[in-house]
Amino acid sequence: MTAPHEDDGLYSFAGLLEPAERAKLRALRAVLEARARPVIAEYWERAESPVELLPALRDLRLVDDPALLGPDGRTRELFAGFRVFEFSRVDIGIGMLFHGQVAMFRELVLRGGSPEQAAAWDAAILDFEMTGAFGLTEPDHGSDVARGLETTARRDGDDWILDGRKRWVGNAAHSAFVAIFARDVADGEVKAFLARTDAPGLTRTTIERKIALRLVTNSDIALEGVRVPESHRLQRVRSFADVAELFQPLRADVAWIGAGAQAGAYEAALRYALERRQFGRPIAGFQLVQEKLVRMLGNVTASLALAVRLAERRQTGEGSEADSSLAKVWIADRLRETVALAREVVGGNGLVADHDVARFFTDAEAVYTYEGTREINTLLVGRAVTGLSAFVR
């Protein structure tokens, strides 16, 4: 397989990682296999987040171990990508539980906050003492949120007053803060505010009956006269252009999520095919099953290669919005195909959570949609290659 810290897979990418990075990924895999994999099916059935895993994951120091940091004080893009991959090959939801804090929320504060805000909060965010979620999407505005965003912010002395609604806010149920993007009624520009989830006027409601990402608790949030001090307005988010800039690394992360989930689905299907016997032999020995496995492996390897190249370009500052969008579109397509093939290999047993494939099969639908739909990302790439915008104005 294409495991990032092993040299025995086809087209192994292990040589691209530093020894310290490979050791850290081995430690992460050990924790996920020992602590997460045995309980995933139970949490999936209950649609609950395994938050008790967070201390063990935090203690691995996957983000701030000095052995992993480059001259800029940050981990390499390639390691960060493989970290996402490693989580996703076990379960996308557990990865989102962890990265929603140390990637989405932390990066928002580091990139959107003032230097003083970032310095004051970063250590607490890394230690999971200051927990946060990310609230942009609204009930009536997803792809058109740039122009359609309706949540408002009104300055009142040293405070801001927020009114509106947010939807699909991951991790909000167990976070102390939620980053609310709201339109300033004074100038019409979008700004970002860290609102306490226990603030008067803020209501969280869990979204029930999800078929995908069941280990992620998503919430609807209502804001009615919620007060946020000016000190908790992220100072470098002054327009939606600043918000869009924040999304580019998140879209790159989705490419790694899609590659990792494909690896997990492929590995689950291969395990099953080697163990399942029909007509007196393992089904892995049948030609049509092998054909499906090879197609899956090809998709995993090609998706990982694209994600690796994207990380390399981002590391050197060459990565563009179109790079991230193309990777997201293409890998999400391959993810859908790969999990469907895995479900075919496992047959009727692929419809239950016991063999892992069902989780990857349903989670793929969420990955296909979030961080920009296929249609929106396609138009972003189309604009880049033709110089002509096909967006409806």
Side-chain angles (χ1 to χ4, degrees), residues 60 88 100 157 163 231 298 361:
L60 287 172
S88 300
D163 291 282
S231 61
F361 186 78

Side-chain angles (χ1 to χ4, degrees), residues 82-337:
F82 272 121
R83 185 183 64 216
V84 173
F85 177 95
E86 195 65 39
F87 272 103
S88 300
R89 63 173 287 278
V90 175
D91 187 83
I92 297 172
I94 294 176
M96 293 185 69
L97 180 66
F98 179 80
H99 285 108
Q101 171 75 10
V102 302
M104 292 182 70
F105 185 61
R106 182 184 185 229
E107 287 299 316
L108 172 64
V109 171
L110 289 178
R111 293 157 60 89
S114 66
E116 294 76 17
Q117 288 174 322
W121 296 331
D122 191 48
I125 292 172
L126 284 171
D127 286 341
F128 284 78
E129 294 173 358
M130 181 181 180
T131 52
F134 197 98
L136 176 63
T137 300
E138 299 183 347
D140 297 323
H141 300 287
S143 296
D144 72 340
V145 73
R147 297 187 179 187
L149 188 143
E150 296 181 17
T151 299
T152 61
R154 176 171 57 86
R155 185 72 182 260
D156 182 33
D158 292 332
D159 292 342
W160 292 81
I161 299 176
L162 308 182
D163 291 282
R165 294 181 299 160
K166 296 296 180 181
R167 185 162 174 80
W168 297 114
V169 184
N171 296 344
H174 45 81
S175 293
F177 291 89
V178 59
I180 297 294
F181 294 87
R183 195 175 301 281
D184 185 349
V185 298
D187 61 12
E189 297 290 357
V190 175
K191 297 180 171 65
F193 306 85
L194 300 189
R196 291 200 64 91
T197 53
D198 60 358
L202 190 151
T203 304
R204 292 171 289 180
T205 305
T206 298
I207 298 175
E208 305 284 357
R209 296 183 291 278
K210 290 193 305 172
I211 68 164
L213 295 180
R214 289 175 60 82
L215 271 69
V216 178
T217 303
N218 291 94
S219 299
D220 285 322
I221 290 182
L223 304 127
E224 298 181 6
V226 175
R227 285 188 172 270
V228 177
E230 165 66 9
S231 61
H232 280 63
R233 178 179 67 84
L234 297 180
Q235 300 296 310
R236 287 190 284 184
V237 180
R238 304 183 184 91
S239 68
F240 196 84
D242 296 327
V243 178
E245 185 69 22
L246 295 170
F247 267 79
Q248 191 173 322
L250 302 182
R251 197 162 289 149
D253 284 350
V254 177
W256 286 96
I257 290 171
Q262 288 182 76
Y266 164 77
E267 290 166 354
L270 179 59
R271 284 195 303 269
Y272 184 88
L274 291 168
E275 295 169 0
R276 175 70 167 174
R277 299 181 68 87
Q278 293 287 277
F279 305 104
R281 58 190 292 197
I283 65 171
F286 297 138
Q287 291 180 352
L288 293 180
V289 171
Q290 290 189 0
E291 188 273 341
K292 296 180 196 300
L293 292 170
V294 171
R295 285 168 60 193
M296 293 166 66
L297 180 58
N299 284 347
V300 174
T301 306
S303 296
L304 186 54
L306 188 57
V308 165
R309 183 57 183 149
L310 176 63
E312 290 174 337
R313 285 178 58 77
R314 287 180 52 77
Q315 185 69 46
T316 60
E318 298 174 299
S320 68
E321 179 182 58
D323 286 333
S324 298
S325 292
L326 180 60
K328 200 278 181 176
V329 167
W330 192 86
I331 292 175
D333 279 352
R334 301 291 75 72
L335 172 60
R336 257 186 167 182
E337 179 183 39

